[in-house]
Amino acid sequence: MTLLRKFSLVALGVSIVLQSACSQHDIETVPKQNRVLFKDVSDSVGLVSEANWKYGGPAVADLNNDGHYDFLLSNHDTTPVQLFMGNAAHHFDEIKNVYPKADLHGISAGDFDLDGDNDVLLSLGGGNGLTPQPQRLLRNDNGTFTDITKEAGISELGARGRSVRWVDLDNDGDLDFMQVNAAKMVNEALPRNIIFENLGNGTFRYVESPGFEDIEAERVLITDYNSDNVMDIIAFTSYDKTSIWQGNGDFTFSNTTNTVLPQGHDDYPGTITVAQADIDNDGDLDYYFARGKLYYTIANNSISFDKEKQSLDLRDVGSKSHDGLTLYADSDIVLSDFYHFPRAKLLEFMPVFIGANKQQITTPKDAHAITQEQAKGFPAEVNETGWYLGYLGDNKWRLEWLLTDDVAWDVRASIKGVSDYEANWTPQELAVPDVLLRNDDGVLTDISQRIPDSLNTNNWGVTSGDFNNDGNADFFVYRFGDLQRRIADVMLLNTGDGHFTSSVAHNATTEIGSKSHGDSGVAFDFDLDGKIDILSGDDDNGKWHLYKNVTDNGNNNHLLIKIGYSENGIDPYGAKVWITTKGKKQYKLIGSTNANHSQSLLNIVHFGLGKDEVVTDITVRWRDGTTRTLKNQQANQLLTLGKSI
C-alpha cells in the first residue's frame, strides 16, 4: 500500500515471481500403501450448503444426546446458521430457522441447565465496530431452540463478538461461559472479554476477571496444560501474540506465558487455530499452532503469479491509497474477478478505466478480454476511485488502482496473459511457519523442526485425530492456498517416534483448483465405524464438506467410548479418559480437540489401538471428581460410560 503516491511509468527493472505453494513444497512422504484416504459424502448424507463465507470452523456436538453427532455451521453474514441433526442411518436432516442471518462468528454447544440436551451460544460481531452486541443464548428444549438471551440476564453486555466457550470456571458442576472479542472501538466502555457465571437457576451474572478482560486475542483453546483438573486457556489471534493463562478455579487466570512457553519464544504471532493431542502418549496434551495471515492482513500488496499459466492475482488494501504494477504480455490480456470487499455500503462498485481516454467498462467479474489497441495509452491524471489500465507499447502495460477514501476492506483483481510483472514494492510473504509444542510436565518444548516443509504456507486451520488407528495422534492442516486457487490440505501422520510424514493424496480437499480457500474443520467419527472422518469448511465462497474415512487400516483396531453424565449429573465437558493396552497408554480430554472461533463437544471419544485387541484398563474422571473404571474390554466396539439424563 502506498498512500496517494503518483507513479512513474518507467519500468522498475526487478521481476518478482511467486511460485504456487502447491507445486513448490508438496512432497508425498507417505508410501502409497500407508496413505489415509477419504471420500466426500456430503451430498449422499444430506449435508447441503451454499458457497459462502465461513468464519473459523464448525461446531460439532451431539445436541440431543442420542449418540449421533450434529453439526452447527457458521456462514458469517451471508447465510443463516445451519443446523444438521444426525440420525441412526448416519444421515443428516437440516433444521431450518434456528437463528436468522447475522454477523455471526463463533458457535458453541453445551448443557448449561443440565437437562440432558445441549444448548447453543452464538457470538455476533459488532457491525464493522459500530454496533457492539451481546452473544445469543439458544436454549434447547427437546429440539426446539428458544432465544433466552434477555431472560438469562446476559443481554446488557455487548461487544464485537468473535469466540464463545462453555467452561466450568469455578468447578461447581455447571457450565459458565466466556466471550472473547475483537478489539474495542473508541466508544466502547465495557470490558473487551467477558465472563458470565452460571447461577444454576437458568440465569447468569457478569463476573469481573482482571487480566482476562484485556487479553489481546480473538480465539481461545480450553485445555488443561498442567493436568491440575482446572481448565486453562491458550489465547491467540492472527494479529498479535499468543499467551497462556492458568485457570485459578475462581473465574480468574494467571498469565503463565513466560514460564510455560519455550525460552526465547517470539510469542508465536499469527496463530489462527490451535489443536491439542497427546502426540507422544505421555499423559499430557501437546499443541499444534496453525499460523498464517487472514483477509485483512493479506489485503496489502499480495500477489500470486504463475509464470507457466501466465496468470496474476492481486489483493490490496481498501483504504485510502494509490498503487500500481507494470505488466508484460505478448498479446491481449484477460481481466476477471475485479472485486472490492464491501465496507458497509460505502462503495457500490469500483469502476475500471481503459486507455488514455479512460473508457469505462463494466467491472469484470467474468473473463473480459482487453486488446492492446483498446487500451492504448495511460491517463495523464488518476483522480477518482477506480482501476486504471493502459497499454504502453513494446508489450508493456500499466495497471493502477486508486481509492480516495476508506471505502472497502480490500480490493482484488485477476489478469491472464501476463508473462511477467514489475513493481516498486515487494509483495508480502504470506507464509508463517507453524509451531509444534511438546508438553513436558506443564512446560512446553518447541519441536517445530519436525513439521514438514509442505506446511511452510499460509495455514488457517488444524484438527487432530488418529486417522489410521495406529494409536498415535495425527494432524490435518488447512492451507489458504493461492489468492485465487484452492490447494490440497496436508495430512500429518504420526510415526510414533516423535516425527511426522506428510500427504496431500488423501482426497479430502474436493475444491482443489477452485477459487475458494482452506479454512478449518473438525475430526471425529460421524458414522461410528471406528475411523476418524473430517467436516471441513472451504472459505471465500466455498462449501461445507463431510469426508468419510475409507482407509483400509489392515489389522489396526479401535475403541469408541461415549462419555455421558457423572453419577452426580455433571455433563461431560472437561472429563478425562485414559485407556491402557499392551502396547501403550492413551489420554483424551473431552471437549474440543481444536479451537478457532467455534467450539465442539466431542464426547464420543475415539482411540486407535494398532494391533492390540484388548483394552486392559479404561478410566474416566469427570470434573466433579467422580470416576468409572472398566477392565479387559475387547477392541472394535462402542462403550458407554456415564448416565443419560
Side-chain angles (χ1 to χ4, degrees), residues 224-237:
D224 185 11
Y225 75 84
N226 57 358
S227 302
D228 66 351
N229 299 316
V230 178
M231 292 299 104
D232 314 306
I233 60 174
I234 299 178
F236 53 98
T237 175

Side-chain angles (χ1 to χ4, degrees), residues 111-114 166-168 170 172-177 195-205 207 251:
D111 187 5
F112 85 90
D113 51 5
L114 296 174
W166 290 112
V167 55
D168 188 354
D170 54 356
D172 67 346
D174 51 28
L175 292 174
D176 315 295
F177 75 86
I195 286 177
F196 286 97
E197 178 187 5
N198 188 339
L199 299 179
N201 59 1
T203 66
F204 295 79
R205 71 177 181 95
V207 177
F251 300 102

Side-chain angles (χ1 to χ4, degrees), residues 108 110 112 120-123 134-137 149 152-155 157 163-170 174-181 193-199 202-207 212 220 222 251 253 599:
S108 180
F112 85 90
V120 176
L121 277 171
L122 305 176
S123 185
Q135 61 293 303
R136 299 296 192 271
L137 175 56
T149 304
I154 59 176
S155 63
L157 285 178
S163 304
V164 279
R165 299 290 185 265
W166 290 112
V167 55
D168 188 354
L169 290 170
D170 54 356
D174 51 28
L175 292 174
D176 315 295
F177 75 86
M178 61 174 61
Q179 184 180 8
V180 179
N181 304 306
N193 306 312
I194 304 168
I195 286 177
F196 286 97
E197 178 187 5
N198 188 339
L199 299 179
T203 66
F204 295 79
R205 71 177 181 95
Y206 159 67
V207 177
F212 169 81
V220 293
I222 305 298
F251 300 102
F253 296 86
Q599 176 190 33

Side-chain angles (χ1 to χ4, degrees), residues 37-41 506 525-527 529 531-534 546-551:
L37 300 176
F38 295 87
K39 179 182 179 181
D40 190 336
V41 296
H506 44 63
D525 186 359
F526 90 90
D527 54 0
D529 67 348
K531 299 177 183 179
I532 290 289
D533 313 297
I534 303 175
L546 181 61
Y547 297 106
K548 175 179 170 60
N549 189 332
V550 295
T551 309

Side-chain angles (χ1 to χ4, degrees), residues 209-359:
S209 183
F212 169 81
E213 294 185 348
D214 297 318
I215 294 175
E216 187 72 27
E218 294 188 358
R219 304 161 172 84
V220 293
L221 174 74
I222 305 298
T223 188
D224 185 11
Y225 75 84
N226 57 358
S227 302
D228 66 351
N229 299 316
V230 178
M231 292 299 104
D232 314 306
I233 60 174
I234 299 178
F236 53 98
T237 175
S238 67
Y239 309 111
D240 211 319
K241 62 186 179 181
T242 296
S243 57
I244 297 184
W245 299 76
Q246 178 180 316
N248 298 321
D250 60 359
F251 300 102
T252 68
F253 296 86
S254 299
N255 189 344
T256 55
T257 304
N258 290 331
T259 58
V260 174
L261 288 182
Q263 290 186 355
H265 67 85
D266 66 350
D267 294 318
Y268 303 119
T271 301
I272 298 176
T273 305
V274 176
Q276 58 184 344
D278 185 4
I279 63 172
D280 49 4
N281 289 321
D282 67 345
D284 50 25
L285 293 168
D286 311 294
Y287 304 99
Y288 189 109
F289 294 2
R291 301 202 299 166
K293 297 180 179 180
L294 292 174
Y295 289 122
Y296 299 154
T297 309
I298 291 173
N300 189 353
N301 292 155
S302 292
I303 288 180
S304 291
F305 178 48
D306 189 321
K307 193 174 183 68
E308 181 179 347
K309 295 183 178 180
Q310 295 197 330
S311 66
L312 183 146
D313 306 309
L314 69 88
R315 292 192 189 184
D316 203 7
V317 295
S319 54
K320 187 176 182 180
S321 58
H322 184 182
D323 260 329
L325 291 169
T326 297
L327 308 174
Y328 292 90
D330 298 332
S331 184
D332 302 340
I333 61 176
V334 178
L335 313 181
S336 66
D337 297 295
F338 277 58
Y339 172 78
H340 73 278
F341 194 161
R343 183 185 296 205
K345 297 181 179 180
L346 299 177
L347 182 64
E348 182 179 356
F349 67 94
M350 190 164 167
V352 177
F353 302 104
I354 304 297
N357 295 326
K358 295 196 287 191
Q359 177 189 355

Side-chain angles (χ1 to χ4, degrees), residues 399-641:
L399 174 68
E400 296 187 15
W401 51 100
L402 170 70
L403 293 98
T404 59
D405 207 342
D406 301 342
V407 293
W409 293 115
D410 69 30
V411 296
R412 310 177 186 185
S414 295
I415 306 103
K416 295 189 182 301
V418 178
S419 59
D420 212 340
Y421 78 96
E422 295 173 346
N424 68 341
W425 41 267
T426 301
Q428 70 161 313
E429 174 60 64
L430 299 184
V432 181
D434 285 355
V435 174
L436 182 60
L437 300 177
R438 186 185 65 220
N439 191 339
D440 297 321
D441 296 323
V443 177
L444 302 182
T445 301
D446 194 326
I447 56 171
S448 303
Q449 71 276 9
R450 301 180 186 180
I451 299 174
D453 288 342
S454 56
L455 285 165
N456 187 24
T457 53
N458 182 14
N459 303 326
W460 280 23
V462 58
T463 188
S464 62
D466 184 357
F467 295 105
N468 55 4
N469 281 344
D470 66 351
N472 301 305
D474 312 305
F475 295 107
F476 188 82
V477 183
Y478 295 85
R479 301 191 293 179
F480 175 83
D482 297 330
L483 293 181
Q484 284 278 22
R485 186 166 68 95
R486 183 77 161 92
I487 64 175
D489 299 319
V490 178
M491 172 74 69
L492 293 181
L493 292 178
N494 188 339
T495 58
D497 60 358
H499 295 84
F500 294 84
T501 56
S502 63
S503 173
V504 295
H506 44 63
N507 300 329
T509 315
T510 297
E511 298 187 26
I512 288 178
S514 73
K515 296 177 182 179
S516 63
H517 300 286
D519 182 51
S520 194
V522 177
F524 58 100
D525 186 359
F526 90 90
D527 54 0
L528 306 180
D529 67 348
K531 299 177 183 179
I532 290 289
D533 313 297
I534 303 175
L535 175 63
S536 297
D538 280 15
D539 199 13
D540 202 356
N541 296 311
K543 294 185 177 183
W544 293 97
H545 298 275
L546 181 61
Y547 297 106
K548 175 179 170 60
N549 189 332
V550 295
T551 309
D552 181 1
N553 284 324
N555 296 321
N556 283 353
N557 299 306
H558 72 274
L559 183 69
L560 294 170
I561 308 173
K562 179 183 177 182
I563 306 301
Y565 291 68
S566 75
E567 288 301 313
N568 296 325
I570 302 303
D571 66 279
Y573 254 125
K576 296 181 176 181
V577 186
W578 298 268
I579 70 164
T580 303
T581 63
K582 179 177 62 177
K584 62 186 65 176
K585 187 171 184 177
Q586 298 185 54
Y587 158 62
K588 299 285 178 69
L589 175 68
I590 301 300
S592 198
T593 55
N594 67 343
N596 194 304
H597 284 306
S598 292
Q599 176 190 33
S600 293
L601 172 54
L602 303 179
N603 68 313
I604 306 173
V605 63
H606 167 275
F607 292 95
L609 304 179
K611 300 299 186 290
D612 292 332
E613 298 179 350
V614 176
V615 180
T616 57
D617 184 272
I618 303 170
T619 299
V620 180
R621 182 193 186 278
W622 283 265
R623 64 178 191 270
D624 63 356
T626 59
T627 61
R628 281 284 308 277
T629 299
L630 290 178
K631 301 287 187 181
N632 299 321
Q633 298 295 309
Q634 291 296 314
N636 303 322
Q637 63 171 317
L638 169 62
L639 300 172
T640 298
L641 284 174

